Amino acid sequence: MSLFYEDEVCKVYNSNMEDIINNLEYDLIITDPPYNIDYKYPDYKDKTNSEEYISLFKHFKNKPCVVIHYPEAICNYVCKGIGSVNKIISWCYSNNSSSKAHRSIGFFNIIPDFKKVKQPYKNLNDKRIKKLIEKGSEGARLYDWFNDIELVKNVSKEKIKGFTNQIPIKLLERIILLTTEEGDTILDTFFGSGSIYFACKNTNRKCIGIEQSNIHLNYFLERLKSI
């Protein structure tokens, strides 16, 4: 295994996921895989046939994992590779450049605990809500759809210039809080620019990243320098 980076939060390997995933120890996989849409990455082929794409997800079979993808892909490819999904949450956002305005978050071999994360009460003048707050309640139970986390757009502070499909750190933090405990180790098999690193650091978790693109790994180093 080629160790690219290591600190107190994370180990990052410059490798193909399929080559090393069985040699790693972790508590949960959280990842958004390449979408197999023939996007022209400089050093990665984003197009395989259906059987090859399904085989990619077979490496997650019987493992607790969370996959962020479009709904059709969850049904047609991810589930065929991993097996039955325990829970699907919709992540909804505004998107002026495409007709697609939501993605699915599929939970496999793990069930999110909605008691762990609260959303703010919407009507603070409601008598029932006032009583709950007086008793110490910090918010309402989450819905099975998230509409309060936007895409990372070009004007976003966390946007990495030149990097596409950047998952918001806030979204990853929420998934982490719903599924893990402090000190757990999370594996991102498609590390990209390293958003999972910052989400784990902010929530007192550890992480392991696998990324085969040297260009993406350099984006991660740039993000580290910027903070």
Side-chain angles (χ1 to χ4, degrees), residues 49-125:
N49 63 46
S50 296
E51 289 304 315
E52 289 173 323
Y53 197 50
I54 292 169
S55 292
L56 187 72
F57 299 107
K58 288 182 180 179
H59 291 276
F60 303 160
K61 195 174 182 66
N62 300 320
K63 297 178 173 68
C65 62
V66 181
V67 179
I68 304 169
H69 213 318
Y70 289 106
E72 298 85 356
I74 293 284
C75 297
N76 296 329
Y77 304 110
V78 182
C79 285
K80 288 182 180 179
I82 303 176
S84 299
V85 62
N86 294 98
K87 181 71 177 177
I88 292 180
I89 293 174
S90 292
W91 167 37
C92 309
Y93 45 78
S94 60
N95 190 1
N96 296 325
S97 61
S98 170
S99 61
K100 292 183 179 296
H102 80 282
R103 275 173 244 184
S104 293
I105 306 171
F107 295 77
F108 296 85
N109 303 307
I110 192 169
I111 299 174
D113 185 352
F114 281 85
K115 295 178 182 178
K116 290 183 175 181
V117 180
K118 301 291 185 179
Q119 63 176 322
Y121 288 117
K122 300 186 184 304
N123 184 6
L124 297 179
N125 294 319

Side-chain angles (χ1 to χ4, degrees), residues 114-145:
F114 281 85
K115 295 178 182 178
K116 290 183 175 181
V117 180
K118 301 291 185 179
Q119 63 176 322
Y121 288 117
K122 300 186 184 304
N123 184 6
L124 297 179
N125 294 319
D126 187 290
K127 292 181 179 179
R128 293 169 298 177
I129 291 176
K130 286 182 177 180
K131 287 183 178 179
L132 289 171
I133 294 173
E134 288 174 1
K135 293 179 180 179
S137 177
E138 298 178 352
R141 184 182 184 277
L142 284 177
Y143 303 128
D144 59 358
W145 52 275

